[in-house]
Amino acid sequence: MATDMTRSRSVKRPAVPPRKLALWIVLALALIIVPVTLQAAAGLGFLVRILVIVGIWVLLALGLNIVVGYAGLLDLGYIAFYAMGGYAGMLVGQAVSGRLGGATFWVVLIPAALAGTLTGLVLGFPVLKLRGDYLAIVTLGFGEIVRICLNNDLLGLSNGATGLPRGVEQVVPPWPANWLADNVRFPTPIGEFAFGTNLFWYFVVLMLIIGAIVMIRRLDNSRLGRAWVAMRENEVAAAACGINIRTQKLWAFALGAMSGGIAGVTFAYVQQFISPESFTFMESVFVVCVVVLGGMGSIPGVIVGALLIRGVPDLIQGLMVAGVIQLSGDATSMITGYRFLVFGLLMVIMMAVRPQGIIPSKRRALELHPEDDRTLAEEDMQLWDTSHRDISPDDV
Amino acid sequence: MAETVLKINDIHTFYGQIEALKGISLHVDQGEIVTLIGANGAGKSTTLRTISGLLAPRTGSIEFMGEVISGMPVHTVTAKGVIQVPEGRRIFPRMTVEENLGMGAFLRTKDPAGVQASMDHVFQLFPRLKERRTQKGGTLSGGEQQMLATGRGLMASPKLLMLDEPSMGLAPVVVEIIFDTIKTLNDQGITILLVEQNAAMALQIADRGYVLETGNVVLEGPGKDLLVNEQVRKTYLGET
């Protein structure tokens, strides 16, 4: 889409060292084998479901990462884009599913992405003059406005708190989920493997994440990416270089929102249901936490962040439900009740000990740990010596 | 008679309710070094910021090469060749020297050969930057940072280069180097508008100067004349 802007510098790519290549191959295999094994193993199928949810959060956090990590704009209402994508996808999808059938999900990815992007632009135009705290407050308000509008069925489209789809309508699972579920099954030593819907979604989300990562990495090396870095480091200097600050910020908002929209529609179709309660302010906070905890501006960081913040609680809950760990009712409610406390503590500790995140981006780490100020006078004297070898300072 | 590059007609600029510029008029001709001197708060930097588009004048107009540029945003003014080297050495501390310079050429996407030539030019002017081209901007000394900021301005291929307090916070020896370079650049044909508190240094290299006081131009004339002007000597050169 942004072919013109993503024209990257002609950097000579160094050959990938064999060790790194091997690591990538192992990672790729693990990404395929682990969920397949989990799916086959009796009683562990729910873990695939958790991976899907974590994956959607990775997608969501990758989008917010563009806004917060790259462009340096704190957005506390990011979940609104997720909601807009989900609702737009679901509305369009239900309208056309009769004709499109299994293709519906694949087609509605486009309106969902557009809905996200448009919402991003609508929010972006008026608020990008604001900075820091003020921007955070306005975006927070925006996120709540969107949720409340959906909840009150403002335009008669969202079906209020009950959510979509309405009444007896069904969501058509995307092709080829049903075909795979019916035809790909075989016995294994650990149990019967069936290519269930969860596994299907796992691969869909995985592909979306890979697509997002490729896009973001290209952006990072593009003119736009460099403009963002410049803007974050010094806005006045960036403007003096001819960077249109407002446009660059809008790009960040729009691209981030697009990713949120895609995550939203995926979430809606995975759940086969969507309602306003999935888009509360706390969800926005969690996405910010994922990005901050993982490491702003860092792709691996965001993935680890999503695994920790979204994956761990779901894992504990899943294990309890599956009966793998036995807990009393008191212990269960304690875990649920103290969840926020644990997150809060975790964030405070992180900010104090490792503000750059678990896996920081190289550049952001530098920003938070500036080099010590060096004694400048001595250096300036050297400077004088090298450029005025023939005269001494006393002569001037 | 050289062509007028920049013409400022009676601009009034406000910070909220405070009138910082109370009707400044000045002009810069092709190939000149023009300096604005004055005390803190006289309106020197405000004038520069108004020209570059960071501020908009409430009344009055600014013309660059015959075109009205007042009210245009910074990036548009920059695209026209009016390049500001901001005060306080605003470089990008976490980018390397080379990346910093590259940012200066942000708008010159269709001219890679020209950008390379500018880069060579900057390295020739400041060999120190060449030595440190892979080093992060923030690790440079104060003088080197000013060189980098100036070099970044040059990368935009300026028609008018505006320097805001290039001597600020630098050791006297480094100030010498910076001023030498300004003179060299001017000899190479670049028109320069220089805002300086160091009036003595600025007037020595300037073709013409304007003395600003509380938002007004109180004196103007050739640099040499201002340098010997009694009022200027008393107020800005610290002589009795």
Side-chain angles (χ1 to χ4, degrees):
Chain A
M1 42 154 301
T3 46
D4 188 48
M5 319 236 11
T6 49
R7 194 193 304 130
S8 49
R9 284 172 293 183
S10 52
V11 189
K12 272 184 208 140
R13 276 166 198 266
V16 185
R19 261 191 69 184
K20 212 171 175 186
L21 191 71
L23 207 70
W24 279 110
I25 293 173
V26 169
L27 183 69
L29 286 177
L31 282 173
I32 297 171
I33 292 170
V34 168
V36 168
T37 314
L38 289 176
Q39 181 82 18
L44 290 180
F46 70 94
L47 289 173
V48 181
R49 176 77 173 185
I50 292 173
L51 284 178
V52 171
I53 300 296
V54 170
I56 290 173
W57 273 68
V58 169
L59 209 54
L60 201 57
L62 282 173
L64 183 66
N65 193 32
I66 299 177
V67 184
V68 178
Y70 291 149
L73 307 163
L74 182 53
D75 183 351
L76 287 181
Y78 185 69
I79 213 76
F81 308 136
Y82 185 54
M84 289 308 282
Y87 270 91
M90 195 54 106
L91 276 172
V92 176
Q94 288 313 100
V96 299
S97 67
R99 241 167 297 156
L100 292 177
T104 308
F105 170 73
W106 304 109
V107 172
V108 298
L109 278 174
I110 295 163
L114 278 178
T117 313
L118 274 178
T119 320
L121 290 175
V122 166
L123 175 64
F125 266 116
V127 306
L128 285 180
K129 272 193 178 166
L130 308 173
R131 313 159 172 255
D133 313 355
Y134 304 103
L135 180 69
I137 290 166
V138 173
T139 52
L140 187 162
F142 180 77
E144 282 298 277
I145 289 170
V146 167
R147 183 182 64 82
I148 291 164
C149 287
L150 292 172
N151 205 24
N152 290 325
D153 202 2
L154 189 73
L155 298 171
L157 291 171
S158 68
N159 201 23
T162 340
L164 292 174
R166 288 159 201 274
V168 291
E169 283 179 42
Q170 289 288 314
V171 175
V172 184
W175 178 88
N178 285 346
W179 184 87
L180 286 172
D182 292 343
N183 295 295
V184 185
R185 53 176 66 233
F186 47 83
T188 67
I190 46 172
E192 197 198 18
F193 172 81
F195 205 113
T197 324
N198 286 337
L199 193 59
F200 167 77
W201 279 116
Y202 169 83
F203 284 111
V204 171
V205 171
L206 188 63
M207 278 192 305
L208 288 172
I209 291 173
I210 291 170
I213 290 176
V214 168
M215 186 190 87
I216 289 167
R217 294 204 44 152
R218 291 203 51 115
L219 270 177
D220 210 12
N221 286 319
S222 71
R223 256 166 80 71
L224 191 58
R226 274 173 296 144
W228 286 338
V229 177
M231 217 164 69
R232 229 168 45 216
E233 298 219 328
N234 196 318
E235 238 175 69
V236 172
C241 288
I243 294 169
N244 186 342
I245 303 286
R246 211 127 174 245
T247 313
Q248 309 300 336
K249 284 186 177 176
L250 265 182
W251 268 107
F253 245 65
L255 288 171
M258 186 180 83
S259 188
I262 292 174
V265 70
T266 313
F267 174 71
Y269 272 79
V270 168
Q271 302 270 349
Q272 301 198 309
F273 166 73
I274 191 170
S275 76
E277 66 174 7
S278 306
F279 309 111
T280 57
F281 171 59
M282 272 326 286
E283 302 292 309
S284 278
V285 171
F286 277 139
V287 200
V288 174
C289 287
V290 167
V291 174
V292 173
L293 187 76
M296 276 187 268
S298 152
I299 294 170
V302 162
I303 295 170
V304 170
L307 274 170
L308 282 178
I309 287 194
R310 207 69 231 185
V312 171
D314 280 11
L315 181 69
I316 293 170
Q317 202 165 14
L319 289 174
M320 282 188 318
V321 173
V324 180
I325 45 174
Q326 305 279 345
L327 287 172
S328 65
D330 280 354
T332 314
S333 63
M334 232 168 78
I335 287 178
T336 328
Y338 284 109
R339 201 174 133 190
F340 291 122
L341 181 69
V342 172
F343 278 142
L345 267 177
L346 200 64
M347 291 309 286
V348 171
I349 292 168
M350 276 301 287
M351 286 303 102
V353 179
R354 205 176 155 83
Q356 69 272 40
I358 296 171
I359 307 179
S361 90
K362 280 180 195 144
R363 215 186 284 269
R364 288 298 286 213
L366 281 170
E367 281 170 36
L368 289 156
H369 282 285
E371 290 85 5
D372 298 15
D373 282 331
R374 296 210 262 152
T375 323
L376 301 180
E378 195 185 318
E379 294 229 315
D380 283 343
M381 202 59 218
Q382 276 183 338
L383 197 65
W384 165 268
D385 291 342
T386 48
S387 43
H388 289 73
R389 279 177 224 281
D390 39 340
I391 39 169
S392 84
D394 305 326
D395 296 339
V396 282
Chain B
M1 187 65 200
E3 183 196 352
T4 299
V5 177
L6 183 78
K7 194 164 165 36
I8 299 180
N9 305 313
D10 193 29
I11 52 168
H12 295 252
T13 302
F14 288 73
Y15 288 112
Q17 288 300 309
I18 299 152
E19 189 173 15
L21 301 184
K22 300 168 181 165
I24 302 268
S25 295
L26 56 87
H27 68 99
V28 181
D29 290 341
Q30 180 71 45
E32 273 190 316
I33 298 182
V34 172
T35 184
L36 306 182
I37 58 171
N40 254 337
K44 307 182 301 290
S45 292
T46 308
T47 308
L48 221 58
R49 279 186 210 141
T50 311
I51 300 169
S52 67
L54 282 169
L55 298 169
R58 193 168 289 182
T59 57
S61 71
I62 301 167
E63 287 169 38
F64 177 68
M65 305 241 172
E67 184 185 1
V68 176
I69 58 164
S70 37
M72 284 184 182
V74 186
H75 57 96
T76 317
V77 174
T78 307
K80 299 202 179 295
V82 182
I83 309 299
Q84 183 181 14
V85 177
E87 147 185 56
R89 308 189 288 274
R90 290 173 195 257
I91 54 152
F92 304 116
R94 258 71 60 169
M95 288 189 187
T96 66
V97 168
E98 243 171 359
E99 285 171 331
N100 263 282
L101 292 174
M103 288 312 300
F106 189 76
L107 295 174
R108 297 171 71 189
T109 46
K110 298 204 168 73
D111 183 19
V115 172
Q116 190 53 51
S118 295
M119 185 85 85
D120 294 342
H121 180 215
V122 171
F123 283 151
Q124 190 197 335
L125 278 172
F126 303 113
R128 193 53 173 259
L129 292 183
K130 190 173 187 177
E131 281 168 38
R132 313 217 144 174
R133 63 180 180 276
T134 55
Q135 212 171 305
K136 295 269 188 293
T139 66
L140 301 181
S141 76
E144 289 162 347
Q145 291 192 2
Q146 182 59 51
M147 291 177 181
L148 183 55
T150 312
R152 193 185 58 204
L154 289 173
M155 290 300 292
S157 169
K159 292 185 182 126
L160 172 66
L161 187 66
M162 304 195 295
L163 298 152
D164 196 355
E165 307 265 14
S167 75
M168 192 167 76
L170 297 182
V173 289
V174 186
V175 176
E176 282 282 341
I177 302 177
I178 300 290
F179 275 81
D180 279 355
T181 315
I182 296 173
K183 194 83 190 93
T184 310
L185 287 172
N186 183 244
D187 291 341
Q188 291 169 355
I190 297 175
T191 311
I192 286 165
L193 181 58
L194 171 66
V195 159
E196 252 312 329
Q197 284 212 40
N198 188 338
M201 290 288 288
L203 290 173
Q204 270 169 30
I205 62 163
D207 295 302
R208 286 187 305 111
Y210 293 85
V211 181
L212 266 60
E213 243 171 50
T214 58
N216 292 297
V217 176
V218 292
L219 256 179
E220 61 175 286
K224 287 188 191 70
D225 294 1
L226 290 178
L227 208 50
V228 295
N229 180 294
E230 202 176 324
Q231 195 189 339
V232 173
R233 294 186 76 90
K234 260 192 185 159
T235 322
Y236 302 108
L237 304 181
E239 290 176 20
T240 47

